Amino acid sequence: MTRRILKQGGMAVAGLLWVLAWMSPPAPMAGASAVPREAQAAFEKKAYQQALDELAKLDKERSAAPDVRRLKIRSLINIGKPKEALDEYGLLTQSLKRDDELVLREVALGMIVVLVKDMREQMRGAAYTALKEIDSADAVPFFEDGLSDGSAPVRALAVEGLGRTEAGRKSKKLRGALEDPAGEVKARVVKALGRSGDHSVLPLIETAAKDELSPVRIAAYAALIRLGKKEAWEDLRKAADAANPDDRTDAIRAMADLKDQRGAPLFMELLTYSQPSVRGIAARGLGQLGRKEAREKIELLLKDPIPGVRESAVSSLADLHSVESVPAISLLLSDGQMTVRAAAVASLLQLGQPFETVVETARALAQQSDTAARASIAFALGKASKPNAKAAVSFLGSLTADPLPGPKIVALRSLGHIGDRELIPLMKDSMQDTNEAVRATAAGALLHLLQLKP
């Protein structure tokens, strides 16, 4: 498999079809006689433009043959023109009267990969975020390539992508990223290595536990605990008592992520802490630990003066499956802060409340001129539980027509999480969007949906 997907500094996609092998086995060229021998030979030599030039010589009838179109699509993808490939794919489906899912996967992946070397950080970030929707170890080479990106946030996304699969967590390049100059990247690397279950990384994590940056040390304590070093709990517990509120929140988050019930008494105590971020993360931690006895105390935070704390509390109650808290959560549908209203919508939908109970709030947020409000409700609807999924999908579909990319991107991502294969036509349409980040997001959602059983 080709390990370097894009030519450095260029837009040509090298060897992309090899990477696509994980999606499904290559289809045989049933009508191979329709494909000129010269075009096929050029393609096999990776002379993709030459292959296209040969195909351009064909008469109209022969150039419309399905196998000719497939070769043209694949050649366009490999020279970094996925939008033109998508146009050609539309003609292929017209002649076949159906989707060719193998080719559709190739087009969708090409739509994402073409952005991983874009000059704009935002577009590269969109590409790696979309790649995270692909649940396959064979996406590892893409993420490994992203570890050398010039942007720390993009490298962090690449680390997250590697952390999603066993193969990624065992990547040698991931280990090498422990030398990354950015603390946020190093901390995520340590976290991913801790989840690998590979005890050979212990020396690396033990070194990270002495790092000069506290986020890296805290991530290392949690990683050591995951790998059986129970004595690291004392270091993590001390970090939770740190004077720096950021260190406290990092340590509490790590305890909650570990699902370690030893943290519950501390979280209960911190629900009244003076620093808002600490109160909020303590509430979320109790939700993650499933501590239902904390429900009433968490409900008190629904009246906290800080919006972020109210959001954390309402999300925690959803994690606790606290149907008893529905009346209190419902009051937040009229909260003065739009992000809190959106969080209340998400929580109620997670708790299985009828969509009708939140639709008025959802509609009001979707109609606001504030882009963040529209994005917030798009994100919230992506949290809908199965009984509410159909109604949420219908509402989200309207948000994909937003005039600005931000809300559309969030809506498409939410649809990919709660939708089914019936949304494939919508994702194909969204891959025609004028904005590259929207197209990449739709492609990632499409690839995720194609992995679902028909």
Side-chain angles (χ1 to χ4, degrees), residues 298-314:
I298 294 172
E299 275 192 27
L300 294 176
L301 293 181
L302 296 179
K303 298 179 181 179
D304 195 279
I306 305 300
V309 177
R310 300 199 295 276
E311 291 173 43
S312 294
V314 78

Side-chain angles (χ1 to χ4, degrees), residues 80 95 100 104 121 155 167 171-172 191 231 240-241 252 254 266-267 285 320 342 370 374 400:
S95 63
D100 182 328
L104 180 57
E121 178 184 27
R155 296 198 303 277
S171 164
K172 291 183 179 179
K191 183 177 179 179
E231 61 272 19
D241 287 331
I252 295 167
L266 173 64
F267 298 172
L320 289 174
D370 187 344
R374 304 198 300 275
T400 62

Side-chain angles (χ1 to χ4, degrees), residues 326-453:
V326 165
I329 296 171
S330 298
L331 293 175
L332 295 185
L333 292 175
S334 57
D335 191 273
Q337 180 68 29
M338 59 93 174
T339 54
V340 177
R341 297 199 296 277
V345 168
S347 181
L348 291 169
L349 291 178
Q350 285 177 270
L351 291 170
Q353 298 305 295
F355 193 79
E356 292 75 17
T357 63
V358 302
V359 68
E360 184 178 340
T361 303
R363 189 178 294 119
L365 288 168
Q367 292 173 351
Q368 285 198 22
S369 58
D370 187 344
T371 306
R374 304 198 300 275
S376 291
I377 193 59
F379 179 82
L381 294 174
K383 299 291 186 179
S385 59
K386 195 169 184 179
N388 286 307
K390 186 174 182 180
V393 163
S394 178
F395 198 105
L396 283 164
S398 66
L399 291 174
T400 62
D402 196 280
L404 293 178
K408 277 196 282 194
I409 286 171
V410 181
L412 289 166
R413 193 171 298 138
S414 289
L415 284 168
H417 291 166
I418 66 171
D420 56 28
R421 292 173 67 95
E422 291 183 4
L423 292 175
I424 288 174
L426 172 63
M427 296 305 171
K428 286 165 57 180
D429 288 344
S430 297
M431 283 166 59
Q432 295 280 7
D433 197 90
T434 56
N435 182 274
E436 298 101 314
V438 173
R439 295 201 298 265
T441 302
L446 174 63
L447 288 169
H448 181 76
L449 294 173
L450 286 171
Q451 293 174 133
L452 303 177
K453 292 182 179 179

Side-chain angles (χ1 to χ4, degrees), residues 58-203:
L58 300 178
D59 58 48
K60 185 176 181 181
E61 180 177 354
R62 194 174 175 194
S63 64
D67 286 328
V68 172
R69 289 203 188 281
R70 291 186 181 100
L71 190 66
K72 185 175 182 181
I73 290 167
R74 288 168 171 143
S75 296
L76 286 167
I77 293 170
N78 275 283
I79 63 171
K81 294 184 176 181
K83 199 164 187 304
E84 290 87 338
L86 181 61
D87 293 337
E88 194 69 27
Y89 176 78
L91 298 174
L92 175 64
T93 57
Q94 287 178 23
S95 63
L96 295 176
K97 308 272 193 256
R98 61 175 176 79
D99 272 314
D100 182 328
E101 290 195 1
L102 171 61
V103 179
L104 180 57
R105 287 181 173 96
E106 296 172 6
V107 174
L109 186 57
M111 196 72 71
I112 300 170
V113 172
V114 76
L115 290 182
V116 299
K117 290 297 179 185
D118 193 279
M119 294 291 290
R120 295 161 293 180
E121 178 184 27
Q122 180 185 7
M123 293 303 167
R124 301 198 306 278
Y128 283 108
T129 301
L131 282 171
K132 289 196 295 178
E133 300 298 319
I134 304 172
D135 299 322
S136 169
D138 290 287
V140 167
F142 295 102
F143 294 120
E144 288 182 330
D145 193 59
L147 295 176
S148 60
D149 193 275
S151 161
V154 173
R155 296 198 303 277
L157 286 172
V159 172
E160 286 183 8
L162 288 170
R164 290 172 68 90
T165 63
E166 182 179 355
R169 291 189 291 269
K170 293 185 176 181
S171 164
K172 291 183 179 179
K173 290 188 177 181
L174 178 65
R175 298 185 186 193
L178 280 171
E179 301 300 322
D180 195 282
E184 63 175 308
V185 177
K186 288 176 70 174
R188 295 189 194 195
V189 172
V190 170
K191 183 177 179 179
L193 291 176
R195 293 179 179 276
S196 69
D198 184 354
H199 287 74
S200 69
V201 302
L202 277 171

